[in-house]
Amino acid sequence: MLTSHAGPLSYIVPLLIAVALVMATTLLARRLSTKPLTWNWTRLPSLPAPRYDHALVTARDGAIIALGGHPRPGETPCWDMWRLDARSTRWREHAAGNNERITPRGSYAWEVLGDTAFVVGGFGETGNMADVTAVHLVTGAIDALHDVSGTAPSRRSGATLTALGGDRAVLFGGLIALGGDVVAIKPPAAGRSRGRGVPVDERVAGNAAPTA
């Protein structure tokens, strides 16, 4: 008499097939139930004056503010400020609230700390610049920070300025011949006299870049 002994394989193979089917069914269900990610673009009112090499910053009240830049290739840079308030349908010029002026420029480094945008360097009619300016986003007032302690950054354009905590920012690189220095800039504390603030800067890393 012949007897059949299938052994453990008679149970393992069907079990593996069942597990594979369950996994495949689960993956297919997840794929069918997952909606594809899509960008949701919303067209905002056009800026009255076209430009490039500018900055676009956001104030605490939700307003969008465009600063400076070049109107067209080959033309001299400008410095004007335009504000688009939340839920508004048109831009309005954001006039400075004092008599201080900023030299027209583009390709500058900028960062927002609180209600103030800090502008460093950039490229103007005379070439690279190295000044530091505070632009108050709420009022539009401009404060040129004339006095600097420590080693001031060299003239540059195309650099980056990144917030480091809530009270200072880090300036890096830019077009300065061949420079790769990193400088930490600490703006003046609130309440200091306007136009005479003292941004304390300290070199963080790298060699001092030559003045362009």
Side-chain angles (χ1 to χ4, degrees), residues 33-109:
S33 62
T34 302
K35 295 181 179 179
L37 297 176
T38 57
W39 287 99
N40 183 18
W41 290 95
T42 301
R43 183 173 294 279
L44 299 176
S46 297
L47 190 69
R51 66 197 58 216
Y52 67 98
D53 273 354
H54 58 286
L56 193 68
V57 303
T58 304
R60 284 188 178 181
D61 60 3
I64 301 172
I65 300 175
L67 307 171
H70 293 263
R72 289 179 179 82
E75 294 187 8
T76 56
C78 61
W79 185 269
D80 53 356
M81 292 187 287
W82 293 86
R83 178 185 177 97
L84 180 66
D85 291 307
R87 300 183 181 86
S88 178
T89 58
R90 66 183 183 88
W91 292 81
R92 61 182 176 87
E93 195 160 8
H94 198 39
N98 58 356
N99 295 324
E100 195 81 54
R101 306 297 299 174
I102 185 170
T103 305
R105 69 193 64 197
S107 298
Y108 51 85

Side-chain angles (χ1 to χ4, degrees), residues 119-135:
V119 174
V120 181
F123 189 85
E125 288 189 86
T126 59
N128 284 343
M129 295 179 284
D131 56 337
V132 182
T133 304
V135 179

Side-chain angles (χ1 to χ4, degrees), residues 107 122-123 128 154-159 172-179 210 212:
S107 298
F123 189 85
N128 284 343
S154 57
R155 299 173 183 267
R156 68 189 67 204
S157 59
F172 172 69
L175 185 60
I176 40 178
L178 293 175

Side-chain angles (χ1 to χ4, degrees), residues 189-212:
R192 290 197 178 167
S193 59
R194 301 175 77 89
R196 286 291 181 267
V198 183
V200 180
D201 66 84
E202 52 193 49
R203 198 161 302 278
V204 175
N207 297 321
T211 301

